[in-house]
Amino acid sequence: MIEGWMAGVNLRLAHHKTEAVMISNRKAALEAKIIVGGQVIVSKRSVKYLSVMADNRLNFTRHVDFACGKASTAVTALSKIMPNCFGPSSSKRRLMVSVAMSVLRYGAPVWAPTLDSKCNQACLNKVFRLLALRVVCGYRTISLDAIEVIAAMIPICILLGEAIEYHRQRSVRGARDRAGLY
């Protein structure tokens, strides 16, 4: 059926690149084997599409882990470039941290509603704390709340909430101002 539909709309499928995920809310993970063009495609638990990891329950936990890992790598690279003591000013550090923040915020309107999970919030806050520590050249013993105030950085969960609100009102004139995004 898939091959017939694709031929009808003048599309071809790269069988060796094809992946599938079975979306379900059952406790046991479902697995399916699909044969397309002589190639057997086994369903996976998660699939990466446009750098967003969609898993079989659409809770995006794997995406949060993936994004936090990428942002942690960016923070590690930042710490190698800029020493914590006697390095560049905080404004230059804030510019470098914005790269890691964009990694964390990528695709937020899609996956951020799943931040009800304490596990996802903890993972994001852990990386966000490292970013804020890098901005102010702080010690690792400073708490998350304190470092957010010192670095004058808005908490990540609030930033993601603003992104969701902006996405909901994207067709409304002046929605960016109403959502609080600058």
Side-chain angles (χ1 to χ4, degrees), residues 54-170:
D55 54 9
N56 58 353
R57 301 198 194 286
L58 291 180
N59 59 10
F60 294 98
T61 302
R62 292 194 182 186
H63 175 74
V64 172
D65 293 339
F66 174 71
C68 288
K70 282 182 72 173
S72 293
T73 303
V75 171
T76 304
L78 174 66
S79 65
K80 289 178 182 176
I81 294 171
M82 298 180 175
N84 207 24
C85 297
F86 307 112
S89 65
S90 66
S91 61
K92 291 178 184 170
R93 289 172 178 274
R94 190 177 302 273
L95 179 65
M96 294 296 285
V97 164
S98 67
V99 172
M101 284 294 294
S102 66
V103 169
L104 284 177
R105 293 177 60 175
Y106 180 77
V110 174
W111 61 265
T114 63
L115 283 178
D116 297 337
S117 166
K118 297 289 183 191
C119 179
N120 290 347
Q121 286 181 4
C123 185
L124 286 168
N125 283 335
K126 180 180 174 184
V127 174
F128 188 73
R129 183 176 166 274
L130 290 175
L131 294 173
L133 284 171
R134 279 286 148 208
V135 168
V136 299
C137 304
Y139 292 108
R140 61 187 174 100
T141 55
I142 302 173
S143 70
L144 174 66
D145 296 332
I147 199 67
E148 287 171 346
V149 171
I150 294 169
M153 294 174 71
I154 300 170
I156 187 71
C157 292
I158 293 174
L159 290 174
L160 294 174
E162 287 177 347
I164 292 169
E165 189 62 30
Y166 172 66
H167 183 73
R168 283 188 194 135
Q169 298 181 9
R170 65 185 177 275

